Amino acid sequence: ELRVGDRVCITSYVTDIFCVLRGNFLDEPDVSSLASPERHTFHCMFDVPICEQSGYMVLGGKEERSGEHCLGFRLNETDTVVAAGRAAGPSGGGCTTCTGGPSLPDRGFRATVRGVVSDLGDGGSGTVGGTPLLSDVEIGGGGRGGGT
């Protein structure tokens, strides 16, 4: 059972909360945010103010039945996520604030996220607010589009 103070390490897709709540990506409205996080552009996540200001979360695994990723953990340190995401995205591409090499993928921010559970959420099953909150967040590489 997950408790406040537990250390967590998860490798998965990081996404902004605005696009999760919308159910699709702001710059690709035909794409489900939970079914296809690998298609979420760095531009959408890190250039668009409403997306950046909404905060971020790391998704859980993909459910076979629904074909969608579970909601994982909300991430408390937005600045840490933004810095890692911009470094993982290609400069000179669609993401105007990204600083990574030009050959990096321009979508699908997959990273290893470590943190400490600071809040268990509001108990709402299947809701963003129902997911636990991680603090003291560190982000490292996790494969395609993986952080710093």
Side-chain angles (χ1 to χ4, degrees):
E1 182 175 313
L2 193 64
R3 298 174 194 256
V4 170
D6 285 354
R7 294 194 169 283
V8 173
C9 179
I10 180 173
T11 300
S12 188
Y13 290 98
V14 175
T15 185
D16 63 89
I17 291 173
F18 179 77
C19 285
V20 169
L21 293 174
R22 276 177 57 93
N24 55 28
F25 300 131
L26 188 61
D27 60 350
E28 285 195 72
D30 294 336
V31 179
S32 165
S33 53
L34 294 178
S36 300
E38 71 277 3
R39 293 183 54 190
H40 200 179
T41 66
F42 282 80
H43 165 70
C44 184
M45 287 186 278
F46 303 112
D47 284 344
V48 178
I50 196 166
C51 295
E52 181 182 345
Q53 293 164 6
S54 71
Y56 296 90
M57 68 185 318
V58 60
L59 299 177
K62 197 169 200 174
E63 294 180 326
E64 280 188 44
R65 184 182 54 78
S66 69
E68 293 187 340
H69 284 263
C70 299
L71 298 176
F73 296 90
R74 292 173 292 138
L75 305 175
N76 197 33
E77 283 87 5
T78 296
D79 291 345
T80 299
V81 178
V82 170
R86 287 180 174 161
S91 60
C95 178
T96 61
T97 58
C98 289
T99 59
S103 64
L104 290 171
D106 67 349
R107 58 192 68 225
F109 182 29
R110 186 172 168 84
T112 298
V113 177
R114 291 178 173 82
V116 177
V117 176
S118 58
D119 185 270
L120 294 177
D122 66 15
S125 177
T127 66
V128 170
T131 62
L133 178 68
L134 293 185
S135 296
D136 300 325
V137 172
E138 298 175 8
I139 298 181
R144 182 173 180 266
T148 57

